[in-house]
Amino acid sequence: MPDGGTGIGAAVKRVEDKRFLTGRGTYTDDINRPGQTYAYILRSPQAHAKIDRIDTSAAASAPGVLAVFTGADMQVGSLPCGWQVHSKDGSPMHEPPHPPLAQGKVRCVGDQVAVVIAETYAQAKDAAEKIVVDYTPLPAVVDMNKALAGGTLVHDEIGTNLCYDWEIGDEGQIDEAFAKAAHVTKIDIVNNRLIPNAMEPRAAVGEYDRATGEYTLYTTSQNPHVIRLLMGAFVLSIPEHKLRVVAPDVGGGFGSKIYHYAEEAIVTWASSRVGRPIKWTAERSESFMSDAHGRDHITHAQLAMDSEGKFLALKVETKANMGAYLSTFASCVPTYLYATLLAGVYTTPLIYCNVKAIFTNTVPVDAYRGAGRPEATYLIERLVDRAAREIGLSQVEIRRRNFIPADAFPYQTPVALQYDSGNYTATLDAALKAADADGFAARKAASEAKGKRRGLGFSTYLEACGIAPSAVVGSLGARAGLYESAEVRVHPTGSVTVFTGAHSHGQGHETTFAQLVSEKLGLPMDNIEISHGDTNKVQFGMGTYGSRSLAVGGEAIVKALDKIIAKAKKIAAHVMEASEADIEFKDGNFTVAGTDKSMAFGEVALTAYVPHNFPHQELEPGLDEKAFYDPLNFTFPGGCHIAEVEVDPDTGVVKVERMTAVDDVGRVINPMIVAGQIHGGLAQGIGQALLEGCVYNEDGQLVTGSYMDYTMPRADNLPSFSVGTESTLCAHNSLGVKGCGEVGAIGSPPAVINAVVDALWDLGVRDMPMPANPQTVWKTIQSARPAAAAE
Amino acid sequence: MPTVTMTVNGKKVSGEVEARTLLVQFLRENLHLTGTHVGCDTSQCGACVVHVNGDSAKSCTMLAVQADGADVVTIEGLANGDELHPMQAAFKEHHGLQCGFCTPGMVMSAVDLVKKNPKATEHEIREWLEGNICRCTGYHNIVKAIQHAQQTM
């Protein structure tokens, strides 16, 4: 580690901070192209309607307007779905068309109906008010059970609202196990629908160069190469060499900026028709009704146990809302990112899960921080909590009895995954200590003395991330490989630029990835630049989601760095007239073993570009290497989250008094950044548990369509967190890293709700829906009181 | 169209604007000071906070014409040349930012807090930040950074 601390394990302050702190970041809406025009997108106010007529004539002649387009003008490909799931009968999922501009029908509030391009945004928006759309309203279907029952169809042409009916496991075998069980615990769970709300609204600038025929799209994306592929190949038929996609500084993603959205295609397509660059930036109200939402599951689950509380079998039936169209990765979230996680950290030998994915007249639902894994974790950990209470075991003891032991790895679960490493007892013990669980009884008594209720809730969880081995996901229906690529370019004076296909939108890659280079090449941070987000600079990339950046993208960088070192050794051997095998590289110096001959990294770099006496048959000039890395397995971070809440039974107000997280994220490169990622995840998890919930009324109107109605976690809703790591190393990547981006959001919701239930158990409360806001808590207490009195 | 004149980051500026132009639009579009961000349309996220005559204000909630004659400081005007303002330095030191989008408003708001209530408790800091939403940090390190800046400002 050079300079006493810029390598692996150092809490290096972030390289990217200065530009963000001084207002000099470049987000998409900050980009202004010469001759730029502005787009306003007219959206459907109807949840479900036939479009009889669109009259754009008044808008087209409004001041400043350059063009108005509707679906009749924009006849292009459908926004594609990247993962084909097959139903249990072997049939492929239904994939109804998803046009960027509506074709004769709208299927959710927010559906794109027309676009106005004008000299200013205000002119575009004013003109859009002059567009007359004649709708014939149709009944909307919002509730998943009603959608399954038939009647109103979101997509007439497929004849059903059931996208797929998928299963994993052997239902017959499971039923036998249940028949023999000493005890069965049953639970009904709703995983509340969330709206991601990255603070930067989505934006896109499309530009067409008539001279070269090249399109450029600047967009708020977590994965610009994926957008280039999806939009270029499937929607607009633009070959990749004529399409550049740039995702500059991006203000948070949390999954919502993975997907290829209509607006990207609209501004790109229209830029060649208008002949000028076009900018579109979402207003927050548009974000609420056009960013893909998250979660939204309804589940019934049963856990079979023997007389000792050992889990025998788990049976799960889930309905998952897809919304009105299939978003890019919507189909894999409630299947391969959810049901495969249902073993959790436990040795449950038999698991069966059936998932029905359902279309409704709501905004598309896709991955949101955690994606499937929070839904699985919430289900398991609520079920385990209930089971413990039913059979009279403590929350800690039921978990210990069922943990996969630390010496059982690699551990094959009954639901396809093979865990490589972990130590769930260690994270539980560390969390119990950090949370001062021993002192809880005294704190509870103090709360009760002032008329409050106090509860302690646990979640021992794991997740599968480092997404993902291409062979595995390909066999499961993914239409992409999920490797990552990197290029390490050593410049003649010895400084280094790394081009990575991962994308940073808050994760601090410019720092963490530079630490890898600093560690490997012995260079100071100032000599290292991390470049990402531009398809014309970075060779290829699958982007950032699924906590994959370090475990997959970082490994690609390491692989390229190893190639650099190997090439540099050849050069050093040539210059120092030694055998390549005798060259050693340490702390930035190449030495000939057993001699005092030495060359600094910078000297080797310069020689690579000034190859005056290279044997060119054997040694090429230059020092620039590329690598692709395809992971061998998923990674499996996990840990223990403990929430301690105080509830005011008179008002229903829940206060999180303590939030403790001890996570196993594998090797930590930058502990400051890891802690920050976990803090953010915890806030989102607590947000889901206590504050956030997307509400549609039965007509399909989005009731929670602004920050007035959708409760975002504020500073005064949250405590300071206690976070720690207790790591085992990933067994199948060279860094031993697992990923830390999603753990906070995955582990925490059940810990919080279990704590609320614990606090109110004596009042007869047996379950608590999310979000457990004051109204819900108060109502739950009121409805529980008669039941408690009767018990 | 009305003409507005104001001092922004110590420089006198003026421009023609439509009467409905918000201060944030004037800053971003006319002056190209894109550090001030727009994160919502209901005056709640606080990404647009600047200082107007010494007080923090949401520049999306003010018309440019209302700032006529005012002294405005944006995030671009906070540092002293290359030397970060103590609040900016504290955010970096304590990892009080991730994606950076809420950061300009958060920093401008925090500076105003420490000026007005230099000894604010953690509880008071969290209450003050009610009008600034951050989706990345969980506020933990923002609070720490402000506590640090209470010592250094």
Side-chain angles (χ1 to χ4, degrees):
Chain A
M1 205 186 289
D3 303 327
T6 58
I8 290 173
V12 179
K13 305 300 176 209
R14 297 205 319 172
V15 173
E16 44 275 84
D17 282 359
K18 189 167 183 187
R19 70 175 187 273
F20 295 140
L21 281 164
T22 54
R24 289 180 172 82
T26 305
Y27 300 88
T28 301
D29 188 54
D30 301 338
I31 291 169
N32 292 300
R33 302 296 301 157
Q36 178 175 287
T37 65
Y38 295 82
Y40 179 81
I41 292 176
L42 183 71
R43 298 179 183 280
S44 172
Q46 302 277 345
H48 195 195
K50 201 162 135 304
I51 299 174
D52 298 317
R53 186 181 69 105
I54 306 177
D55 182 352
T56 61
S57 54
S61 58
V65 171
L66 299 162
V68 183
F69 299 113
T70 68
D73 306 303
M74 192 178 178
Q75 296 288 324
V76 298
S78 172
L79 300 170
C81 181
W83 199 304
Q84 187 179 47
V85 171
H86 284 80
S87 287
K88 57 189 181 186
D89 66 4
S91 60
M93 67 184 189
H94 290 293
E95 286 184 81
H98 186 185
L101 285 174
Q103 301 287 331
K105 201 176 172 195
V106 289
R107 295 182 176 83
C108 62
V109 168
D111 224 348
Q112 304 77 221
V113 174
V115 59
V116 182
I117 319 289
E119 295 288 349
T120 70
Y121 180 70
Q123 287 173 330
K125 194 173 177 182
D126 287 347
E129 289 187 12
K130 298 179 191 294
I131 297 175
V132 180
V133 186
D134 287 346
Y135 293 105
T136 300
L138 300 168
V141 59
V142 172
D143 179 274
M144 284 194 273
N145 288 316
K146 286 184 187 160
L148 265 190
T152 298
L153 291 178
V154 180
H155 296 274
D156 295 319
E157 64 273 27
I158 59 175
T160 173
N161 290 321
L162 183 63
C163 175
Y164 56 75
D165 184 2
W166 176 91
E167 68 177 2
I168 189 168
D170 182 334
E171 192 174 11
Q173 210 178 13
I174 285 275
D175 289 343
E176 275 176 41
F178 271 89
K180 291 180 198 156
H183 185 83
V184 174
T185 294
K186 298 179 182 179
I187 198 164
D188 287 292
I189 290 279
V190 174
N191 205 286
N192 47 328
R193 183 176 178 123
L194 302 177
I195 304 179
N197 275 305
M199 291 317 298
E200 179 205 22
R202 285 190 301 113
V205 182
E207 184 170 4
Y208 177 66
D209 184 334
R210 281 188 197 287
T212 61
E214 185 180 296
Y215 289 85
T216 302
L217 170 67
Y218 301 88
T219 183
T220 49
S221 175
Q222 300 176 212
N223 31 240
H225 290 84
V226 174
I227 302 305
R228 184 180 65 167
L229 175 66
L230 295 177
M231 184 176 82
F234 297 98
V235 185
L236 299 181
S237 301
I238 303 169
E240 275 136 311
H241 66 290
K242 293 292 184 190
L243 176 56
R244 175 185 177 200
V245 178
V246 182
D249 288 327
V250 172
F254 315 110
S256 70
K257 293 173 181 168
I258 298 171
Y259 324 116
H260 175 36
Y261 285 97
E263 297 85 357
E264 295 169 323
I266 291 168
V267 296
T268 305
W269 174 87
S271 68
S272 66
R273 271 74 186 167
V274 173
R276 289 170 60 184
I278 302 171
K279 180 192 278 187
W280 168 81
T281 303
E283 297 182 14
R284 178 58 61 183
S285 308
E286 287 185 276
S287 307
F288 273 96
M289 62 173 123
S290 69
D291 293 2
H293 293 178
R295 317 285 192 256
D296 206 352
H297 285 195
I298 302 172
T299 296
H300 176 70
Q302 305 175 66
L303 178 65
M305 286 169 283
D306 70 11
S307 56
E308 305 296 312
K310 282 283 278 181
F311 304 158
L312 300 175
L314 173 65
K315 185 172 182 180
V316 178
E317 291 155 89
T318 292
K319 298 183 183 95
N321 201 338
M322 296 286 102
Y325 304 96
L326 279 180
S327 176
T328 310
F329 288 109
S331 53
C332 71
V333 175
T335 48
Y336 299 107
L337 294 179
Y338 165 72
T340 54
L341 262 290
L342 288 171
V345 293
Y346 309 114
T347 54
T348 317
L350 295 169
I351 296 173
Y352 172 81
C353 180
N354 171 242
V355 179
K356 292 181 171 66
I358 298 161
F359 291 113
T360 60
N361 292 114
T362 63
V363 170
V365 181
D366 207 324
Y368 165 67
R369 201 172 197 169
R373 291 150 289 165
E375 294 91 316
T377 301
Y378 187 68
L379 161 66
I380 300 164
E381 292 302 298
R382 287 287 298 119
L383 192 52
V384 168
D385 182 279
R386 174 71 68 82
R389 293 177 191 280
E390 287 181 359
I391 62 174
L393 283 180
S394 79
Q395 294 299 337
V396 171
E397 182 55 27
I398 194 169
R399 288 174 165 85
R400 288 197 198 280
R401 281 191 194 180
N402 288 284
F403 276 160
I404 297 161
D407 60 5
F409 296 94
Y411 178 82
Q412 179 64 48
T413 76
V415 274
L417 298 177
Q418 189 183 77
Y419 304 161
D420 63 333
S421 66
N423 187 339
Y424 311 124
T425 305
T427 45
L428 172 63
D429 288 341
L432 284 169
K433 197 171 163 205
D436 184 27
D438 290 344
F440 172 73
R443 295 191 294 274
K444 184 179 167 77
S447 291
E448 285 174 0
K450 51 181 182 168
K452 305 282 178 66
R453 300 273 166 170
R454 189 174 276 257
L456 196 63
F458 295 84
S459 167
T460 50
Y461 77 97
L462 67 66
E463 61 144 328
C465 67
I467 292 172
S470 296
V472 175
V473 296
S475 70
L476 301 177
R479 289 162 166 160
L482 287 170
Y483 47 81
E484 196 46 88
S485 99
E487 177 185 352
V488 176
R489 187 179 300 167
V490 180
H491 304 292
T493 55
S495 64
V496 171
T497 304
V498 174
F499 299 89
T500 170
H503 186 279
S504 187
H505 28 279
Q507 295 86 344
H509 293 171
E510 290 167 46
T511 306
T512 302
F513 289 169
Q515 287 180 250
L516 298 180
V517 180
S518 182
E519 173 85 25
K520 279 276 189 180
L521 299 185
L523 297 177
M525 295 290 278
D526 285 348
N527 290 14
I528 305 159
E529 183 81 12
I530 305 297
S531 179
H532 63 90
D534 184 342
T535 60
N536 271 17
K537 289 184 182 170
V538 181
Q539 57 177 355
F540 202 71
M542 294 308 294
T544 286
Y545 40 82
S547 305
R548 70 192 302 271
S549 297
L550 188 58
V552 189
E555 284 294 323
I557 293 171
V558 168
K559 212 171 151 187
L561 286 168
D562 287 341
K563 290 184 186 178
I564 290 285
I565 293 167
K567 170 83 181 282
K569 278 184 175 176
K570 279 193 179 142
I571 296 169
H574 167 69
V575 174
M576 294 191 282
E577 297 177 327
S579 158
E580 197 184 321
D582 291 337
I583 301 293
E584 291 172 351
F585 180 58
K586 200 175 168 228
D587 298 334
N589 286 300
F590 295 89
T591 52
V592 181
T595 75
D596 58 358
K597 283 186 180 176
S598 165
M599 278 181 89
F601 181 79
E603 292 176 77
V604 174
L606 186 62
T607 310
Y609 290 95
V610 189
H612 285 166
N613 64 353
F614 268 26
H616 289 301
Q617 303 290 344
E618 299 150 37
L619 194 56
E620 284 179 24
L623 196 52
D624 186 339
E625 297 287 348
K626 296 175 178 181
F628 281 75
Y629 173 79
D630 203 321
L632 298 171
N633 190 358
F634 293 85
T635 59
F636 300 97
C640 177
H641 293 184
I642 300 177
E644 187 169 325
V645 302
E646 190 179 74
V647 185
D648 182 339
D650 295 330
T651 62
V653 171
V654 177
K655 189 164 175 237
V656 180
E657 292 284 343
R658 291 166 177 242
M659 189 72 218
T660 306
V662 176
D663 297 296
D664 175 357
V665 297
R667 191 186 307 284
V668 171
I669 307 298
N670 184 322
M672 177 190 81
I673 288 176
V674 167
Q677 288 292 307
I678 296 170
H679 295 156
L682 292 174
Q684 281 172 297
I686 295 170
Q688 171 166 28
L690 297 182
L691 305 165
E692 299 180 41
C694 168
V695 178
Y696 278 93
N697 72 11
E698 59 183 21
D699 298 327
Q701 290 296 325
L702 177 61
V703 176
T704 52
S706 82
Y707 289 147
M708 307 287 283
D709 314 293
Y710 185 90
T711 315
M712 291 283 281
R714 263 71 163 192
D716 55 358
N717 299 127
L718 299 167
S720 280
F721 306 120
S722 163
V723 305
T725 53
E726 186 72 40
S727 288
T728 60
L729 297 184
C730 172
H732 59 79
N733 62 39
S734 75
L735 292 166
V737 297
K738 297 186 178 183
C740 65
E742 296 164 296
V743 291
I746 292 170
S748 58
V752 174
I753 295 298
N754 286 343
V756 176
V757 170
D758 183 51
L760 302 176
W761 187 265
D762 292 343
L763 297 179
V765 170
R766 297 293 173 264
D767 198 5
M768 181 61 67
M770 297 192 290
N773 56 32
Q775 186 188 23
T776 298
V777 172
W778 188 85
K779 279 162 75 176
T780 307
I781 292 169
Q782 301 314 309
S783 57
R785 276 187 165 136
E791 269 181 16
Chain B
M1 286 202 290
T3 300
V4 293
T5 303
M6 63 186 87
T7 304
V8 177
N9 299 333
K11 281 186 207 154
K12 198 154 199 180
V13 297
S14 62
E16 277 195 358
V17 294
E18 277 191 81
R20 62 178 165 177
T21 304
L22 301 170
L23 175 59
V24 68
Q25 291 170 324
F26 181 69
L27 295 171
R28 288 182 56 82
E29 290 160 25
N30 293 51
L31 305 182
H32 303 292
L33 292 170
T34 55
T36 302
H37 296 150
V38 180
C40 77
D41 45 16
T42 51
S43 295
Q44 296 189 307
C45 80
C48 66
V49 170
V50 298
H51 293 174
V52 178
N53 296 327
D55 290 323
S56 56
K58 288 181 175 173
S59 60
C60 76
T61 311
M62 225 180 141
L63 297 168
V65 292
Q66 288 177 292
D68 192 38
D71 182 23
V72 176
V73 179
T74 71
I75 189 72
E76 289 93 343
L78 198 61
N80 179 13
D82 267 352
E83 189 193 338
L84 294 178
H85 182 277
M87 187 62 76
Q88 292 169 315
F91 268 65
K92 177 169 173 139
E93 179 68 23
H94 288 278
H95 190 28
L97 65 154
Q98 291 182 25
C99 81
F101 194 80
C102 77
T103 306
M106 198 65 83
V107 168
M108 297 307 283
S109 179
V111 168
D112 194 30
L113 164 66
V114 176
K115 274 191 196 155
K116 292 197 163 100
N117 185 0
K119 294 190 175 4
T121 62
E122 177 179 343
H123 180 71
E124 287 170 328
I125 292 171
R126 288 181 178 274
E127 285 205 325
W128 176 271
L129 294 180
E130 215 276 340
N132 291 82
I133 304 178
C134 170
R135 194 54 150 168
C136 294
T137 64
Y139 306 97
H140 180 104
N141 284 340
I142 291 175
V143 172
K144 273 190 163 178
I146 295 171
Q147 288 171 327
H148 180 93
Q150 285 177 322
Q151 311 303 315
T152 55
M153 255 177 77

